[in-house]
Amino acid sequence: MPTANSPAATPARAQTARSAAAGFLASGLGIALLSSAVFGLSGSFAKSLLETGWSPGAAVTARLTGAALILAIPAVPALRGRWHQLRDNWVTIVLFGLVGVAACQLFYFNAVARLSVGVALLLEYLAPVIIVLWLWASSRKRPRVLTFGGTLLSLAGLVLVLDLTGAVKIDLIGVLWGMAAAVCLAIYFFITAKENDSLPPIVLASGGLMVGAGAMWLAAATGLLPMTFSTDDTKLGPWITPWWVSLGGLVILATVLAYVSGIMAARALGSKVASFVSLTEVLFAVIWAWLLLGELPVPVQLLGGVLIVGGVILVRVDELRGGPVPGPGTGPTRAPVRAPLDHANDVEPVP
C-alpha cells in the first residue's frame, strides 16, 4: 500500500490539488477574483494603446463598440422575447450607458494617460467616500462610526497617493480626470440604488455598452471628441505585439469576460460580498501595470492605496451591519435610500 511519501502517492496528491484548484475557480469566490483580475487589465491594455498615439476617446469607443456587439449575443436570448423590458427600463439603461460606461471610462482613460494605472484607479475608488460625504451633507446626519472612520481613512490615503511633497510631481489634470471618474461612479451608484429585478444584468450591461458606444461615436462625429487611432505595435511587458492584441485584450478580457464573470460572481455570492471581493481589482491593476508597463507607485502612494481600500472596506462593512443609508431630505419622516450595491441586479461600471 503506498505511503504518503511514496512515488505512487504523488499523482494522487497532484490530482487532489488540481481538483481543489478547479473547485475554487468554479466557486463564487474564484469567479469573483477572476473578474477582478481581468478588470484590472483594462488600464494596462489601454495605456499600451495610448502610448502609441491612440486618443482616450478612440480607446474607449473601440472598447465599448466591440464589447457591446459581443455581449449582444447572450443578451438577446436573456430577454426571452420580452422586449418591453427595454422600454420599461430605458432611463436606467441610458443613464448607465452615459454615466457609468461612457463618461466613467473616458475620464478614467484620460487619467491613465497622465498618471500611473494604480494611482488613476485609486482615485476612482474614492466613489464610496463621495457618496458618504454627499449623504452627510444632504441629510445633515452624521455617518455611523465605521463609515465616518472609513471616510477619514480614505481621505488620508488620498493625501498619500497624491504624494504632494514627493520628488515626482503628480499631474494635476490627471488627478482631476481621476476624480471626475470617481464622481461618475458615485452618480451611477445613486442611479441604480433601488430594487430592479425586471431587467437581466447581462441585458443592462449590453444595453449600457451600446448606449455608451453610440454616444462616443456621436461625440466624435460632431467634433466634440478627438478620435486618433494608430496601427503601431504596442509594448506589453517584454513583448512587442500588434495593436489588435492590446485592443482584443481590452475588449474580450477586460470587458466581456470581466462583465460576465462579475455577473456570475454577484449571483453566486450576492452583490455586497462580490463588491467586497472586487476591491482586489486595485491590487491586480497595480500588479498588471508593473508586469506589463513597468509602472509601480512609489512606497508612499502604495501606503495611501492601502488606506483608501481599507477605508472603503470599513464603509462597506458598515453597510452590511447598519442597513439602509439615510437619504436626502430633512425631518424624521424622510425616506431612506438603500445602500449602494444593496441588491442583486447591480452591474458595476467598467473602470
Side-chain angles (χ1 to χ4, degrees), residues 123-144:
L123 291 173
E124 187 179 10
Y125 260 75
L126 287 170
V129 176
I130 293 175
I131 292 173
V132 169
L133 294 176
W134 170 255
L135 290 175
W136 186 2
S138 60
S139 67
R140 296 180 177 84
K141 183 176 180 179
R142 181 176 174 175
R144 294 183 293 267

Side-chain angles (χ1 to χ4, degrees), residues 45-284:
F45 282 134
K47 191 150 191 174
S48 69
L49 292 170
L50 298 178
E51 289 178 341
T52 66
W54 284 62
S55 65
V60 171
T61 303
R63 180 190 193 187
L64 298 187
T65 303
L69 293 175
I70 295 174
L71 282 178
I73 298 173
V76 171
L79 278 171
R80 299 176 182 174
R82 294 171 294 187
W83 297 98
H84 65 88
Q85 291 181 335
L86 298 178
R87 182 180 65 253
D88 296 342
N89 295 278
W90 72 269
V91 174
T92 298
I93 294 173
V94 169
L95 289 176
F96 170 68
L98 294 179
V99 179
V101 173
C104 195
Q105 288 188 45
L106 181 61
F107 295 162
Y108 173 64
F109 280 11
N110 272 294
V112 165
R114 293 173 172 269
L115 304 170
S116 70
V117 171
V119 170
L121 189 58
L122 285 169
L123 291 173
E124 187 179 10
Y125 260 75
L126 287 170
V129 176
I130 293 175
I131 292 173
V132 169
L133 294 176
W134 170 255
L135 290 175
W136 186 2
S138 60
S139 67
R140 296 180 177 84
K141 183 176 180 179
R142 181 176 174 175
R144 294 183 293 267
V145 174
L146 277 181
T147 295
F148 187 70
T151 301
L152 292 180
L153 196 63
S154 290
L155 292 177
L158 174 61
V159 174
L160 296 181
V161 165
L162 296 182
D163 192 19
L164 300 178
T165 61
V168 179
K169 296 303 179 183
I170 203 161
D171 190 303
L172 178 59
I173 302 300
V175 171
L176 293 177
W177 282 122
M179 295 302 296
V183 171
C184 286
L185 189 54
I187 292 173
Y188 166 75
F189 284 142
F190 277 117
I191 291 171
T192 59
K194 61 179 182 180
E195 290 286 353
N196 180 10
D197 295 322
S198 64
L199 191 66
I202 194 71
V203 176
L204 176 58
S206 178
L209 288 166
M210 288 183 180
V211 170
M216 299 297 288
W217 284 115
L218 180 61
T222 55
L224 296 176
L225 184 67
M227 284 282 193
T228 304
F229 300 88
S230 173
T231 57
D232 292 345
D233 290 343
T234 58
K235 188 176 186 302
L236 292 171
W239 304 285
I240 303 298
T241 63
W243 63 272
W244 50 264
V245 172
S246 290
L247 181 59
L250 184 62
V251 172
I252 297 173
L253 295 178
T255 309
V256 175
L257 179 59
Y259 256 125
V260 173
S261 57
I263 291 170
M264 292 172 62
R267 288 179 172 177
L269 300 175
S271 59
K272 277 192 171 181
V273 175
S275 71
F276 271 94
V277 180
S278 73
L279 292 174
T280 59
E281 181 191 335
V282 176
L283 173 62
F284 282 116

